[in-house]
Amino acid sequence: MEFDFTWILLGLPIAFALGWIASRLDLRQMRLANRQAPRAYFKGLNYLLNEQQDQAIDAFIEAVQNDPDTSELHFALGNLFRRRGEYDRAVRVHEHLLSRADLSNADRQRAQHDLALDYLKAGLLDRAEEALRKLEGTTYEGQARMARMAIYERSREWPEATTVARLLEKTGEVDFSVRMAHYQCEQAREWVQKGDHVGAVALLNTTLQAHPQAARPRLLLGQLLLSQGQSRAAFDTLAVLFERHDKAAPLAAASLVKAAKACDMETQASRMLEAHYQAAPCIDVLNAITDVLLSRASTHSAAQSEALDRYLGHLQKHTSLMAASRWLTGERPGQASLPESVQKALEHATKPLAKYRCAACGFEAKEHFWHCPGCQAWDSYPPKRVEEL
């Protein structure tokens, strides 16, 4: 049978026409997709500026579906998920970015950092620590170390926190000497709770040698020595705070008086307390002065009268309900004491004023904290009562 070439001649134009139509359709779809991706992106940006996060997420998801290779859209979407508290979705977005082989090194580091933030916000501290360790040697190294230090503080892993603080200090940008002294004090407190008093004393002595100007290790060491019956050593340790008029000295006033009574150093203690009170009047130091006064007096009535005069003198210069309460409830020879109901009312009124308050977040507590339990700030509690702020 003879082959007819006419069909070939007729088929070539038809095939060319079909190919041209197909190419036009592909171009059209491409242009449509390229138009839709920026439109969805700008729509999401508009929602984001108007604080409509739900609509912004939907728009960004649409943009990512139209252009799955755009890393910036993935970053925006992951950050939105994290801000909304949808940490599992944020993790999936950033893990997807890290799995891409075509991701640049800068974007890979950024995705690793964002993944660590996802874990941190979700409270998965072990995974966050692992993710942050992978940022060593990157542009996010400093931020990652700060985040790791915060993790160790929250989990009370003080040796690890000290190690990271030393690494940060080597950069020369920030001085973490005081922070490291706090870490060692926290560790010493834990050792005391476990019964290792000898180890705690050794650690605090080492801390003082490294950070001689730090008040907390000196205060803790003095209190620890006092509890062990080493009153003279405790007195000498605490006395330094008053000799240099340290602002934290009022926190040591009561312990100094106890040590002074135990080793017959009331005269020296009184002199130090008086000098500090004259430089910085404080109710805690005044209470310590009157305590020494009452212990040294030959007659209790005369000492009590002199103590009341000290509180009255304080009131003439400083408005203080705590001092007024001490003066009102003090014992007076030949006079009846205040009714119990009045004493309870005064105690109730002064109780909130006797607290300590964090200067960073306003958290109030009965005891002085070096590490605020509210905002986790260090050294945010002034060593003064609320009434004196």
Side-chain angles (χ1 to χ4, degrees):
M1 181 177 176
E2 189 176 334
F3 185 74
D4 190 356
F5 287 96
T6 306
W7 292 106
I8 295 177
L9 295 174
L10 290 173
L12 284 174
I14 294 172
F16 177 79
L18 290 173
W20 181 82
I21 293 170
S23 66
R24 294 297 294 174
L25 286 173
D26 285 342
L27 285 172
R28 203 167 181 187
Q29 287 178 347
M30 225 178 192
R31 286 173 186 165
L32 183 62
N34 287 336
R35 280 197 215 102
Q36 286 176 345
R39 189 180 298 126
Y41 177 78
F42 288 121
K43 189 194 300 182
L45 186 60
N46 181 55
Y47 284 134
L48 193 59
L49 292 173
N50 290 320
E51 297 184 357
Q52 296 174 280
Q53 293 187 10
D54 291 336
Q55 293 88 336
I57 286 175
D58 293 337
F60 282 135
I61 288 175
E62 179 186 346
V64 168
Q65 289 172 344
N66 292 329
D67 190 5
D69 295 330
T70 306
S71 58
E72 284 300 328
L73 290 177
H74 284 79
F75 282 121
L77 193 58
N79 291 336
L80 274 174
F81 283 143
R82 185 169 63 245
R83 286 175 60 184
R84 281 180 51 81
E86 300 181 48
Y87 305 121
D88 55 338
R89 300 179 75 181
V91 167
R92 285 202 298 270
V93 170
H94 294 128
E95 284 181 339
H96 170 71
L97 279 170
L98 289 170
S99 66
R100 283 174 47 179
D102 61 336
L103 200 65
S104 67
N105 189 45
D107 282 345
R108 188 171 298 280
Q109 294 175 11
R110 181 181 172 189
Q112 184 67 38
H113 180 253
D114 284 353
L115 180 63
L117 292 181
D118 297 338
Y119 288 138
L120 270 177
K121 291 291 185 180
L124 302 173
L125 300 185
D126 53 343
R127 294 188 181 183
E129 181 191 355
E130 182 182 353
L132 290 167
R133 285 184 180 277
K134 294 179 181 179
L135 291 168
E136 288 290 321
T138 69
T139 54
Y140 294 93
E141 182 180 71
Q143 299 175 46
R145 286 176 176 175
M146 288 292 293
R148 282 174 57 202
M149 193 165 65
I151 289 174
Y152 295 138
E153 288 179 2
R154 288 174 63 182
S155 56
R156 305 187 66 80
E157 299 176 63
W158 306 117
E160 290 79 2
T162 303
T163 301
V164 176
R166 287 195 179 115
L167 290 174
L168 284 166
E169 200 173 40
K170 285 181 180 179
T171 63
E173 298 177 2
V174 185
D175 181 13
F176 282 102
S177 59
V178 176
R179 184 77 67 90
M180 286 189 285
H182 279 306
Y183 294 159
Q184 290 164 344
C185 287
E186 292 289 346
Q187 191 173 352
R189 287 184 61 190
E190 291 181 356
W191 288 1
V192 169
Q193 291 172 358
K194 295 176 181 177
D196 186 5
H197 293 78
V198 176
V201 168
L203 179 59
L204 290 171
N205 276 316
T206 303
T207 305
L208 272 180
Q209 290 175 4
H211 315 286
Q213 297 303 314
R216 188 185 183 188
R218 184 170 296 280
L219 177 61
L220 283 179
L221 180 59
Q223 292 172 341
L224 183 55
L225 291 171
L226 182 60
S227 68
Q228 292 181 318
Q230 303 180 48
S231 55
R232 183 55 192 267
F235 181 86
D236 292 339
T237 301
L238 297 172
V240 176
L241 294 173
F242 292 89
E243 290 170 354
R244 68 188 187 197
H245 296 290
D246 197 292
K247 65 178 183 179
L251 300 173
S255 298
L256 181 77
V257 172
K258 289 180 182 178
K261 289 179 180 179
C263 62
D264 195 23
M265 300 285 287
E266 289 100 326
T267 303
Q268 293 85 337
S270 180
R271 186 168 56 249
M272 291 178 185
L273 291 167
E274 287 284 0
H276 192 279
Y277 179 81
Q278 294 302 322
C282 171
I283 192 66
D284 286 320
V285 176
L286 180 57
N287 289 339
I289 290 172
T290 58
D291 191 2
V292 174
L293 183 64
L294 291 171
S295 67
R296 294 175 61 204
S298 56
T299 59
H300 181 74
S301 59
Q304 186 66 34
S305 179
E306 188 177 349
L308 292 175
D309 289 341
R310 293 302 302 264
Y311 285 114
L312 188 59
H314 183 83
L315 284 168
Q316 290 172 351
K317 298 178 182 179
H318 311 280
T319 303
S320 171
L321 185 58
M322 294 174 67
S325 175
R326 285 295 187 106
W327 184 81
L328 285 169
T329 57
E331 295 180 11
R332 292 171 174 81
Q335 294 185 15
S337 59
L338 288 176
E340 186 179 352
S341 58
V342 177
Q343 292 183 6
K344 286 183 177 180
L346 286 171
E347 183 181 347
H348 179 74
T350 56
K351 191 175 292 185
L353 301 177
K355 293 183 177 180
Y356 297 95
R357 179 188 297 156
C358 174
C361 69
F363 186 90
E364 293 185 358
K366 292 180 181 179
E367 62 178 297
H368 179 273
F369 285 105
W370 299 91
H371 189 206
C372 178
C375 64
Q376 305 299 308
W378 290 96
D379 290 316
S380 59
Y381 275 81
K384 293 183 178 181
R385 307 287 179 169
V386 168
E387 184 185 60
E388 299 173 313
L389 296 177

